Amino acid sequence: MKNKTIVFATSNYNKVKEVREMLIPLGFEVLSLSDLNLCVTHPEDALTFAGNAKIKAEEIAEKCSYPVLADDSGLMIDALEGFPGVHSARFMEGYPYEVKNKAILEMMEGKENRRAFFRTAMVYIDKEKGIEKTFEGVTEGVITTKLDPKPLHGFGYDPIFFSLDLNKTFGQATNEEKDSCSHRARALMKFVEFLKGRED
Ligand code: IMP
């Protein structure tokens, strides 16, 4: 693939890091919002991941001339009817993830069905080429029963998400392992395939 510069429209450093790890080897230059001194100001008040990703992508595409990729993602727990879902970032906002993860484990006490998914929707906008397209990625796991006292890697809800692909929590998975099966990796692969198919 020809060298391609895109903006990844998030201020979450961990997500930029993951996306760079996956896209740089494929010939992309990935700029973050802080590289361009931009930020998303519109409230992310849509009811779906795709709706929120579109809000971010459209705002940043208005503010710069590069193609923009934005994602919105979160954890969905079956026994909690999809909670925290689109509220994943805002749930107990301001508290460290150790406290948030503890709170989730308390909500899950006594629940037999511990099935959960990480989901992401990515919206890509290339104004110059008139492209707007959404890519989705899902990965399945179960919520652990205990807080991992020593998560080695990852961020957010990774320490309480036991991946069915990896047979370990995302908190114990190396970056390469997580990138082999994460929701973001799966959506990104669809995005890359789409761009390859359009190479002109
Ligand atoms: P967003 O930045 O509005 O998409 O919020 C996503 C939130 O979902 C993050 O702040 C995390 O709480 C959670 N999340 C999304 N992806 C992951 C992941 O790969 N691992 C752990 N938590 C995640």
Side-chain angles (χ1 to χ4, degrees):
M1 186 173 299
K2 273 181 270 166
N3 194 301
K4 186 155 186 70
T5 302
I6 61 164
V7 177
F8 186 55
T10 182
S11 42
N12 182 328
Y13 168 76
N14 293 294
K15 289 206 238 171
V16 177
K17 195 168 154 279
E18 280 188 7
V19 167
R20 282 194 169 132
E21 269 163 24
M22 292 183 263
L23 291 186
I24 287 174
L26 300 174
F28 285 84
E29 183 185 3
V30 182
L31 301 176
S32 68
L33 291 185
S34 57
D35 290 330
L36 299 175
N37 236 337
L38 292 174
C39 62
V40 174
T41 55
H42 290 178
E44 294 169 31
D45 51 9
L47 297 176
T48 60
F49 294 124
N52 280 330
K54 188 174 155 81
I55 289 173
K56 296 182 222 184
E58 281 178 347
E59 178 174 346
I60 300 304
E62 278 295 308
K63 292 178 172 170
C64 74
S65 56
Y66 294 103
V68 175
L69 184 67
D71 95 320
D72 196 66
S73 50
L75 177 67
M76 302 190 78
I77 303 175
D78 274 5
L80 305 179
E81 286 157 22
F83 185 83
V86 286
H87 306 291
S88 291
R90 277 161 286 161
F91 169 61
M92 295 181 72
E93 206 165 6
Y95 285 88
Y97 268 91
E98 201 182 330
V99 176
K100 294 194 201 195
N101 283 334
K102 223 172 172 173
I104 298 267
L105 293 188
E106 275 165 22
M107 292 164 91
M108 288 296 289
E109 249 169 41
K111 306 267 190 217
E112 243 172 61
N113 174 8
R114 307 193 71 87
R115 197 158 174 247
F117 301 87
F118 272 123
R119 285 187 182 275
T120 189
M122 291 190 172
V123 171
Y124 179 65
I125 297 181
D126 184 335
K127 279 188 300 190
E128 204 177 288
K129 295 193 174 147
I131 302 172
E132 177 171 333
K133 191 141 172 72
T134 305
F135 306 90
E136 297 192 313
V138 183
T139 192
E140 186 176 352
V142 290
I143 300 298
T144 56
T145 50
K146 288 198 198 98
L147 205 57
D148 181 349
K150 275 196 188 151
L152 298 172
H153 308 279
F155 67 97
Y157 301 105
D158 281 344
I160 59 166
F161 184 84
F162 185 91
S163 161
L164 295 187
D165 287 285
L166 299 178
N167 237 359
K168 58 172 88 169
T169 66
F170 273 176
Q172 291 295 332
T174 62
N175 296 346
E176 291 74 22
E177 285 170 333
K178 186 176 172 192
D179 293 349
S180 73
C181 64
S182 79
H183 46 314
R184 231 173 332 278
R186 288 179 173 155
L188 272 182
M189 285 309 113
K190 292 182 191 170
F191 162 66
V192 170
E193 286 309 309
F194 169 76
L195 283 192
K196 277 187 186 159
R198 281 195 51 102
E199 246 179 328
D200 31 51

